[in-house]
Amino acid sequence: MGLSLSKKLPRGTAALAAVRFFHYLGVQASYFIGIIGVLTYELGATTAVIALAVGLFNLFIIIGNAAGGSLLDRRGPAVHTVVALGATAASCAAYQLVGAQVPTVLGMSAGFGFATGFGFTFLSSYPAYLTSDTDELKRVNALLSVVSNVAVVAGPAIGGLIAAVLPAQRVFVFSGVLAVLAVAPTVLLLRRVGCEPAAERHGAAACSAGDREATGDAGTFADSARAVFSIPSLALLFLVGVLAYAGYGAFDPLESLYYRDVLRVDISWMGWLSSAAGVGSVAGAVLAMRAPHRSVNVRTLMLLIAAEGAACMLYVGTPFVGCAIAGQVLLGAAFGMVTPLQNTLVQMYAPLRLLGRVNSVMNAGFNGAGVIPLFAAPVLASMFGVQGVLVGASCVVLGVPLAVLIARRAQIERLILDESAHESVS
């Protein structure tokens, strides 16, 4: 039977979805246009400077994610939400007090990256504070993915409209306002969640006793890393994610140049094409809601990541805007299915007391994987051209999960059997 929104969702889901929507809508409306767009179109920055901005953003996402996961585990949701929304509002306000120059844009990339990473925990960890039931977890994660991808549709479009009539720097005013508006649903959310994940409050266990013995309940980041690598499903998810995201690393510093120099469109198209991906993501997330139980496994996840690579090839493989739009829609659809599936698998297997920090380790690996290609991209672009590098990166995203599926076929089959057994018990 497929998953459906008509089935029961745990109390607090609507409030969590609202907080996630406000926070992520601001990210989508602002980052690409307000930082990369400003550097590319208004300041005429070099590829190396754009790569530095993206590198700072990703680095501080990792730092913010680690800090957010640790704070959530140690101090609970109330303190985490105050810091997450406060950091977002403060960075957006500070950016308006300075001019749009390369050093200030780089500073904003770091500050907003930290706030963005801090808020990732709303998506990756908070569902476990609402329910310990595997079926409900799937639906909550799918709903959060739908909400996130609606933000991907609306955010860049709003950002594009703002940038069409005002300096692109002003898109961050919108993000700051959204952080303030998120306070209301945050109050409702905090009334529904306790200080511990739902499975601990209700005496349920999302991972086996053996897993707990292997990972322990200690609370350091090193313990979180050991948890990831001591549980086969988490280790495989980490491996595939890191290798695939390494391919995406080349996109960040070159994508705006692809728009400007290959597609030959203006800055507002950075918003419209991102919105096209959001439309596909909403459709993908809705499909994820109806995914049959038997498809919720690591093999499905790898196939979907490979599908992302194929869509990327269509997106960047021609100089035609129409093909880029189609590629973005298909890429979004695959991504919309990947995110809830990946989050559900992590929430099923991560030790509960380490859930926030385990997600920090996973996201640190995914974001950190793009560092080497990020800084190699300018050199490669001078040798093979912007479009040539992007097509090559797409091939990496396509090929890595397929190679792992072949090389680790036996292990994957065992993991799928374990996942089926776990779901039956749950």
Side-chain angles (χ1 to χ4, degrees), residues 255-291:
E255 201 168 6
S256 61
L257 299 176
Y258 170 68
Y259 291 169
R260 187 188 68 186
D261 300 337
V262 179
L263 295 181
R264 299 187 182 280
V265 294
D266 62 32
I267 189 172
S268 63
W269 274 90
M270 295 178 70
W272 312 141
L273 282 164
S274 295
S275 291
V279 171
S281 296
V282 172
V286 170
L287 289 175
M289 288 182 177
R290 305 194 62 82

Side-chain angles (χ1 to χ4, degrees), residues 10 16 121-132 137 140-141 144 198 347 355:
L16 174 57
T121 311
F122 290 124
L123 179 68
S124 61
S125 297
Y126 270 66
Y129 281 78
L130 299 179
T131 181
S132 60
L137 270 179
V140 173
N141 282 308
L144 289 177
Q347 290 159 17
L355 179 59

